[in-house]
Amino acid sequence: MAVESDTTAPPGHGARPFPRATVILVAFAATLVSALALSQFRDILGPVLLTLVLSICAHPVRVRLERRGVPHGIATGSVILVVFALLAGFAYMLTIAFGQFASMLPDYADQLSAAGATIAGWLQSIGFGADQVQAVTSSFDPATILGFFTGLIGSVFSVTGALVIVLTMLIVMSADATYIPTVLQQLSRTKPDVVTALGGYARNVRRYMVVTTMLGIAQGVLSGLALVVMQVPAALLWGLLVFLCSFIPNIGYFFALVPPIVFGFLVGGWPLVIAVIVVYGVINSILQTVLQPRFVSSAVSLSQTLTFFSVLFWASILGSIGAILAIPLTLLVRTILIDADPAARLWRPAMGDISETRTLLKENDAAAKAARRARSGGRDDDGTPLRAHEPDVDAPNEPGRDG
């Protein structure tokens, strides 16, 4: 009896050049080494990748200006100024909101200490050690809270580092983007699949980022106004936090929810906490759960498991910017490894492109239901005879009935 070999063999003999286990291990090792290498340059890669996504989103504006006869240099400069003005405006709003938060935080020092003491007593009653209780209690210190938000905001919008890199890269990328259509035209002669994949990636990222930005603005404005009505401190800052967290799939909502809950509890107790949770839940459900999938599901086409893993993976490599850009970066990897290779596109359904899979699932469910009916002697799953609710529309009219 012949045994099929999975070892090396000369090309053209039908066997794989390397064993599958070897390919998997080498691919895993290469991914690990690449991830560790990328994490060493996160301070540079984060702003560069953010600029790349912004340039992709702004590219159609430059193209439309050029089609109207605007010179390349003026069109490129206009896009650069608009994008950087938006970034600078958001950074300015964030700075103002953080300044208001820092100024009002000492006013709640007594309430924070009391809340920390209450939680410490509860933790001790259920068996937590003194060191663990002390670590939790120290997190309610105003200086600790201020330091946490300072580090968080500084890592994302550093005026001395990240914004300088973003501005510089935005200038050079926008200038180079003038030649992108011609470069793709040259590449399409020899690599049409690569050009098609890159074009699809740009369209999908643009659609995802634009829709997510618009819905994030709406979500931040509605949440901020609701917090103002409920008189939760630092409502502007929490509204901006909602906008930022709207780019983080699955878990961003929970990050944005924690600070308003804490300060809502300090000023209004549990009734205000419940009100904040309900308002945030309604806004998030309508905008991110109902509206966003209608506009970007076809553009993203990533499974929920892969989406959540992408957030964890890119956040561990690039920090906060990695969490915000998790979807565009994962789509870029899919474009390079799968979409650009016709032989690898069969893996798209496994990653979340289930447009055909849904149809197949419905067919399988219908076949399984028909099989159960056949085994039950012509009765439905609930025991009802099929003819009781499935009349024969082709049967002739009975005597005495109107035609």
Side-chain angles (χ1 to χ4, degrees):
M1 180 177 179
V3 179
E4 182 181 356
S5 176
D6 195 26
T7 57
T8 60
H13 286 71
R16 286 181 293 273
F18 298 102
R20 180 183 288 109
T22 301
V23 174
I24 294 175
L25 289 176
V26 171
F28 178 78
T31 302
L32 181 61
V33 172
S34 300
L36 293 176
L38 291 175
S39 65
Q40 298 300 314
F41 302 95
R42 64 167 60 187
D43 294 335
I44 299 175
L45 286 177
V48 169
L49 292 173
L50 176 61
T51 308
L52 174 62
V53 173
L54 293 175
S55 300
I56 291 175
C57 295
H59 182 71
V61 178
R62 187 185 61 79
V63 172
R64 290 190 181 96
L65 291 176
E66 291 177 350
R67 287 177 179 175
R68 294 178 179 270
V70 178
H72 295 301
I74 297 178
T76 300
S78 300
V79 172
I80 293 173
L81 290 177
V82 170
V83 173
F84 188 72
L86 292 175
L87 289 176
F90 181 78
Y92 176 75
M93 290 180 59
L94 193 62
T95 303
I96 295 299
F98 182 73
Q100 294 177 351
F101 172 71
S103 62
M104 68 90 179
L105 191 59
D107 298 336
Y108 295 91
D110 295 338
Q111 292 94 322
L112 289 170
S113 299
T118 301
I119 295 178
W122 176 72
L123 292 176
Q124 289 178 344
S125 66
I126 61 177
F128 278 83
D131 295 337
Q132 296 171 325
V133 173
Q134 179 62 30
V136 174
T137 306
S138 63
S139 63
F140 285 84
D141 182 42
T144 303
I145 298 175
L146 187 62
F148 170 77
F149 281 99
T150 301
L152 180 63
I153 296 175
S155 65
V156 181
F157 295 100
S158 176
V159 294
T160 59
L163 286 180
V164 173
I165 296 176
V166 168
L167 176 61
T168 306
M169 290 301 301
L170 185 62
I171 294 174
V172 297
M173 283 187 181
S174 299
D176 291 338
T178 305
Y179 304 97
I180 291 298
T182 307
V183 171
L184 294 178
Q185 183 180 2
Q186 292 176 301
L187 185 60
S188 63
R189 301 169 184 172
T190 56
K191 299 292 184 181
D193 294 319
V194 175
V195 174
T196 302
L198 291 177
Y201 169 75
R203 289 189 298 272
N204 291 337
V205 168
R206 192 176 300 121
R207 184 177 182 181
Y208 170 77
M209 293 300 294
V210 170
V211 172
T212 303
T213 299
M214 294 297 102
L215 293 179
I217 292 174
Q219 191 172 358
V221 170
L222 292 176
S223 300
L225 291 177
L227 293 178
V228 170
V229 173
M230 291 184 289
Q231 298 182 353
V232 176
L236 176 60
L237 180 61
W238 310 140
L240 294 175
L241 182 62
V242 168
F243 169 73
L244 280 177
C245 291
S246 66
F247 291 92
I248 305 177
N250 299 328
I251 60 177
Y253 162 76
F254 299 100
F255 288 142
L257 181 61
V258 172
I261 285 181
V262 173
F263 285 90
F265 177 77
L266 295 179
V267 299
W270 288 110
L272 188 55
V273 169
I274 296 175
V276 170
I277 294 175
V278 171
V279 170
Y280 267 54
V282 171
I283 296 175
N284 179 78
S285 299
I286 294 176
L287 295 179
Q288 285 201 336
T289 307
V290 177
L291 294 181
Q292 188 176 28
R294 291 179 178 270
F295 294 100
V296 300
S297 59
S298 60
V300 175
S301 296
L302 295 175
S303 65
Q304 294 295 323
T305 301
L306 182 59
T307 299
F308 181 67
F309 176 77
S310 299
V311 175
L312 301 179
F313 179 79
W314 291 111
S316 64
I317 294 178
L318 301 177
S320 302
I321 293 182
I324 294 174
L325 299 179
I327 297 299
L329 295 180
T330 303
L331 291 178
L332 178 60
V333 174
R334 190 185 70 181
T335 298
I336 297 174
L337 299 181
I338 294 180
D339 296 346
D341 185 3
R345 291 175 189 168
L346 57 91
W347 293 103
R348 281 183 60 92
M351 300 189 68
D353 187 2
I354 56 174
S355 55
E356 297 181 3
T357 308
R358 289 194 186 97
T359 303
L360 182 59
L361 178 61
K362 292 180 180 179
E363 294 176 354
N364 292 339
D365 290 342
K369 188 174 182 179
R372 290 194 299 269
R373 288 176 177 176
R375 289 194 302 267
S376 61
R379 293 180 176 272
D380 204 347
D381 295 337
D382 57 358
T384 305
L386 293 181
R387 293 184 61 86
H389 53 79
E390 295 183 4
D392 189 359
V393 296
D394 296 329
N397 294 329
E398 296 182 8
R401 290 191 177 182
D402 295 335

